Structure formats: C-alpha cells, structure tokens
Amino acid sequence: MTGQDGVGDARSRLLASDVARLGVSGLVARPTRAVLSALGIAIGIAAMIAVVGISTSSRAQLTATLDQLGTNLLTASQGTDFFGESASLPLTAGASAGHVDGVESAATTGSVPDTGVYRNSRVPDGNTNGITLRTASPRLLEVLEAEVATGSWLTAGTAQYPVVVLGAEAAELLGVAEAGRHVVIADSEYVVAGILEPVPLAAEIDSSALVGEVAGESLAGEPVAPTTVYTRVDPERVEQVRELIAPTIQPRSPSDVEVTRPSDALAAKQAADQAFTGLLVGLGSVALLVGGIGVANTMVISVLERRREIGLRRALGATKPHIRRQFLAEALFLSALGGVAGVVLGTGVTAVFAVSKGWPVSIPPVVLAGGLAATLVIGALAGLWPAVRAARIPPTKALQS
C-alpha cells in the first residue's frame, strides 16, 4: 500500500457490487434514521404524484364526458339590448335556428313568469327553492342528449295537460323521488311524468320544472317566448354555424342574442383547475426539497458518527474515491427508498380518490419516472458534500476520534 491515492487506486479496486453492498449496509445499520429520512422524500414525491394524478384523472373524466355528450351543442339565449335590458327572443327562434345550414336539430325552453312550483299547497308562496318553471319543446331531450332517470318524457299528448318533468336538482329540492307524484303549480296539481338525470351541458335544466308549450301558454295566458335555443350542429362546422345563429334568429339586432358553447365553460373550469394544480405541485416540490435537506442532514451526522470506521477503511487501503462512492451510494439508496415509497403512496392516493369520484385512474408514466429521477438527483446532491467531507478525513485523525 502507498500513501498516494493515485497509486492506491491502481492497487485497490472497489466493484459496483461492493459499493451497493456498503451503501445498503450503512442504511440497515441505522434503520430508524433511514426510514425517517426517506419519509421526507416520500411525502414530497407522493404529494406531487397525487396532485398531478388527480388532475389528469379529472381531465380524463372531462374528456370522456365531452366525448359522450359532444362538443357540438350551441345555445342561443337572451342577450341585452342597447339600454341594458334583457332582449326577448321571437316565438319563431327555435324554427329559425333549425333552418340554419349545419344545424342538425333544435329545441327551446322558455321561462313561465311569476309561477312557482311547490311540493304541496301548504308551502308558502314564494318559497320556490330557486326552481324555475320552463316550457320545453318536444325535441329538448334529444337535442341535449339527456336521459330520464325515472318515468318518461313529455309526449305530444301529455304536453297539453297538467304534466311536468322535473330536473334532477328540482326533484331533490321538492322531495320527489319517483314518477306519479304530484306537485302544485299555479294552485293546481300537476302529475310528475318523469325525473331527468343531471344534464352537465345545460345545468339550468337540473333546477327546472318542465311543462309542454301548450300547458305553459295556459299558465301564462299567452304564448311563452323562448329564452334559450339549444342546437346540435355538424361537428365539423361548429364555428361557422355559431356565426350564423344570432342573425338568423334576430335579423334586425343580432347583438341581442348571445350564442355560447357549454363545453367551453367546462374546458375553462378545467384550465382553472390546472392552474391550481400548478400551485400544489409547487408545494409538493418544497416538501421534496425539505426531504432532500433531511437526507443531507442524515448523511452529515452519519459521517460524524463513523469517523473511526472511515479511518479504519482508509488504513486498510480504501482511497478517497472509495469513501466518496460509499457515502454517495448510501445517499442514493436512501433517496431511492423514499422515491419508491412516494410513488406507491402517490399512486394509491390518486387511485382511491379517482375511484371514489367515479373517475378513470390516469397517471402519466412520465410523472412516475420523473418522480424517481428527481429523488435520485436530490439524493446525489444531498449526499455529495457529506461524501466529499468523509473522503477528506485523514486516516490518523479519524482513528483518534
């Protein structure tokens, strides 16, 4: 053996398997400290993976919903006139919209003014729980691609009589769980023909009680003008049709008609959720940084406690590079332990949350790989200085400690 590290390197070899064994044995000898240090890394990785996983699962659910409901639903509703007042749509709005080239089907709803819907006659007037009475054209269910949860939709026959279909929220507020029950409208009992499933692209329907156009005219004493026109259009021509609907419905003042695509609102909400996700990922990164500091602290303490071991190994022929590799390996294994635990924990949290919401579980593989890579990088950085410090301890000084 020679005192020169360069010559020692030529005579002493440390295989990769030896480095791995030394790194693992250093952690096994102090299991409690290793677990607690790895826990900091695990929490940071789990937080980032869970946040990203829940966000991507939510987006996957949104994509599936839009694929099912379609992004080709356009709604034309009352805008405001020059004086800021709500502009009325003409009675022919639905028929006019249906004649636009590219529109496949159209339906309308209209609000019946000053008419509440009550569970029974004992409910005080005005206590409507926000339920709106609307007229509905026969094709509304088809255009919205909505489904009836129980009972049936309005038919050409029932739409003329005291028969009502309740939106999902309206039925819950009224305490009606099945078809055949009665509610009170304008001091008269109406039979509940059906209850709708929630309509994601037309949330206003959920809090509505829907009657036929003829029944609505009887209640109002005059034809009820449409307040909203729903149209299904050719998916390839959505933007072109969007420009044509307003001037077709209201040729004299197209600006009085507001045309929107409900799926855009869902997409905007998802964009806001993504911004919030970015904030949470940032917080997860801070937690990961704290975990890295914990690894560095553990390695520094380990160097201080193992000075005699370091001196003995140096005296037996270990070189400075050997000592550096040993302690760097310990830091990498410690971080890898936390990284794997974090990936498992983050994946589990995502899966439980997504399943509880009825979402598909969606975690990009690049996120899992990136999480593990991040832990190794942090482990290398956290263990580099303690490893270098350990290698610089002279054998004689270490053995005297």
Side-chain angles (χ1 to χ4, degrees):
M1 175 182 170
T2 179
Q4 299 297 323
D5 287 330
V7 177
D9 284 339
R11 296 183 179 181
S12 176
R13 297 179 59 196
L14 191 63
L15 302 178
S17 58
D18 296 326
V19 174
R21 179 175 52 80
L22 287 170
V24 172
S25 63
L27 299 181
V28 172
R30 300 162 182 81
T32 302
R33 181 183 299 167
V35 170
L36 292 177
S37 299
L39 184 61
I41 292 285
I43 291 174
I45 291 297
M48 290 195 296
I49 289 179
V51 168
V52 174
I54 290 172
S55 177
T56 54
S57 296
S58 174
R59 286 198 294 273
Q61 175 64 22
L62 174 64
T63 300
T65 299
L66 292 181
D67 288 342
Q68 179 183 2
L69 301 176
T71 58
N72 61 331
L73 176 68
L74 295 178
T75 65
S77 56
Q78 296 172 304
T80 55
D81 58 20
F82 180 78
F83 300 100
E85 302 291 335
S86 294
S88 299
L89 300 181
L91 292 172
T92 58
S96 299
H99 289 116
V100 174
D101 190 21
V103 173
E104 299 174 346
S105 57
T108 63
T109 61
S111 297
V112 181
D114 305 321
T115 308
V117 181
Y118 306 96
R119 180 65 184 90
N120 52 55
S121 58
R122 293 186 295 275
V123 178
D125 289 342
N127 190 10
T128 63
N129 285 319
I131 299 172
T132 303
L133 181 65
R134 304 179 191 270
T135 60
S137 58
R139 301 189 68 182
L140 180 66
L141 200 67
E142 171 192 343
V143 174
L144 294 180
E145 295 185 4
E147 296 183 358
V148 178
T150 180
S152 60
W153 177 243
L154 299 169
T155 66
T158 59
Q160 304 178 47
Y161 297 102
V163 173
V164 64
V165 172
L166 301 177
E169 183 181 347
E172 183 177 353
L173 291 171
L174 290 169
V176 177
E178 58 185 359
R181 301 291 183 177
H182 291 79
V183 294
V184 174
I185 301 175
D187 298 326
S188 298
E189 288 193 346
Y190 275 62
V191 178
V192 177
I195 299 173
L196 300 180
E197 295 281 3
V199 186
L201 294 183
E204 65 277 6
I205 298 299
D206 293 341
S207 59
S208 299
L210 305 169
V211 297
E213 293 175 330
V214 175
E217 182 176 346
S218 299
L219 288 168
E222 59 181 355
V224 178
T227 52
T228 306
V229 180
Y230 302 93
T231 58
R232 284 285 175 180
V233 305
D234 183 346
E236 303 297 326
R237 305 178 62 184
V238 172
E239 293 304 324
Q240 296 92 318
V241 173
R242 190 172 186 169
E243 298 296 326
L244 296 174
I245 289 180
T248 301
I249 291 177
Q250 196 74 283
R252 294 184 178 180
S253 52
S255 60
D256 292 350
V257 181
E258 183 179 354
V259 181
T260 60
R261 182 162 62 170
S263 58
D264 290 344
L266 292 180
K269 179 179 179 298
Q270 187 62 51
D273 290 342
Q274 285 182 268
F276 187 63
T277 296
L279 173 62
L280 294 180
V281 168
L283 294 177
S285 300
V286 173
L288 186 58
L289 177 61
V290 172
I293 295 173
V295 171
N297 182 60
T298 297
M299 297 309 301
V300 169
I301 294 175
S302 181
V303 170
L304 294 176
E305 290 180 345
R306 297 162 64 186
R307 290 167 65 93
R308 291 182 63 83
E309 175 192 334
I310 294 169
L312 181 59
R313 294 198 64 236
R314 290 294 307 278
L316 293 175
T319 64
K320 289 182 179 181
H322 295 168
I323 300 299
R324 284 197 296 267
R325 292 171 199 166
Q326 174 187 349
F327 281 87
L328 189 58
E330 283 190 28
L332 288 173
F333 279 122
L334 184 59
S335 297
L337 175 64
V340 171
V343 167
V344 172
L345 180 59
T347 301
V349 170
T350 299
V352 170
F353 188 88
V355 170
S356 69
K357 294 287 187 179
W359 299 346
V361 179
S362 176
I363 304 177
V366 67
V367 173
L368 301 178
L372 288 174
T375 59
L376 294 178
V377 171
I378 288 177
L381 294 176
L384 184 60
W385 181 71
V388 171
R389 182 178 178 181
R392 288 178 177 175
I393 300 176
T396 55
K397 184 177 180 181
L399 289 171
Q400 292 173 357
S401 299

